[in-house]
Amino acid sequence: MSTKAKATIEDLYHVPENGKAEIVNGELVLMSPTGRMPGRAGGEIYASLRDYERQTRSGEAYLDNVGFVVTSPSLRTFSPDAAYYWGVPASAPGMFVEGAPIFAAEVRSEGDYDRAAERDMAEKRADYFRAGTLVVWDVDVLKDMVARVYRADDPQNPTVYRRGEVAEAEPALPGWTLPVDDLFQ
């Protein structure tokens, strides 16, 4: 029997040195920094989402390290590498976003390629979908060089986009696309 206290949102506000962390299954999980290519890919996705936000004037694009807090079925937080939230969050400007993003992009880092990482990523996608996210991108710029697009209505069958193709995030972001080649800039 564990006597360890469940992590709280307050714990996230006090992560040492303003590091990146999420609450998963009631525990604070610290996340290491990413490398050059995954970081740049996340930035490219965010820049394109920001342009979409300006064009549609509906929703907000978010960069890496923004926290999203969901309380169903239990407390869980997300900190995707890029995200989009429809509408304007009710959260105070300096606080984490209440609710799940409609779209989340997770860009793989060096340590995201073993069996345990695959299991953890599948569980995280399932958590996103349970929280209300419609589309999750699993972006791989280090090994397979693809963007896998998972949808809440068919979470086991991603659409895979390769170099030379244009990825999308339907139905979460109607009309938004990103050339896969831009992920390798």
Side-chain angles (χ1 to χ4, degrees):
M1 184 170 120
S2 174
T3 59
K4 188 174 182 180
K6 295 246 183 215
T8 67
I9 298 304
E10 192 63 29
D11 294 332
L12 281 178
Y13 284 113
H14 300 289
V15 172
E17 299 178 23
N18 296 316
K20 184 175 179 179
E22 293 180 350
I23 296 175
V24 180
N25 296 322
E27 293 193 22
L28 191 67
V29 177
L30 298 176
M31 306 174 99
S32 63
T34 193
R36 182 176 64 84
M37 284 303 295
R40 290 185 58 79
E44 286 293 327
I45 296 166
Y46 166 73
S48 181
L49 290 171
R50 186 192 61 224
D51 290 345
Y52 181 79
E53 173 188 334
R54 290 175 177 165
Q55 291 168 1
T56 63
R57 297 179 188 195
S58 58
E60 294 184 349
Y62 289 98
L63 190 56
D64 182 30
N65 211 22
V66 171
F68 292 84
V69 179
V70 296
T71 55
S72 174
S74 62
L75 179 63
R76 169 70 153 110
T77 64
F78 299 106
S79 184
D81 297 306
Y84 202 87
Y85 185 95
W86 272 120
V88 177
S91 314
M95 307 304 281
F96 297 132
V97 177
E98 292 287 337
I102 195 84
F103 166 80
E106 295 286 345
V107 183
R108 291 176 182 242
S109 296
E110 274 297 320
D112 292 334
Y113 291 94
D114 62 14
R115 190 171 298 176
E118 291 295 335
R119 183 193 67 242
D120 291 347
M121 293 175 87
E123 288 175 6
K124 188 172 188 177
R125 282 192 305 274
D127 284 348
Y128 271 120
F129 294 142
R130 277 192 292 274
T133 302
L134 293 182
V135 175
V136 177
W137 276 18
D138 174 356
V139 179
D140 178 353
V141 295
L142 299 176
K143 305 277 186 204
D144 294 336
M145 313 295 195
V146 299
R148 292 177 186 87
V149 179
Y150 290 87
R151 292 176 178 77
D153 64 356
D154 191 9
Q156 301 306 313
N157 297 300
T159 304
V160 180
Y161 293 97
R162 293 171 170 67
R163 285 179 175 254
E165 297 179 330
V166 177
E168 44 69 38
E170 297 285 343
L173 302 174
W176 177 73
T177 61
L178 180 69
V180 174
D181 289 344
D182 287 1
L183 299 171
F184 300 94
Q185 300 293 322

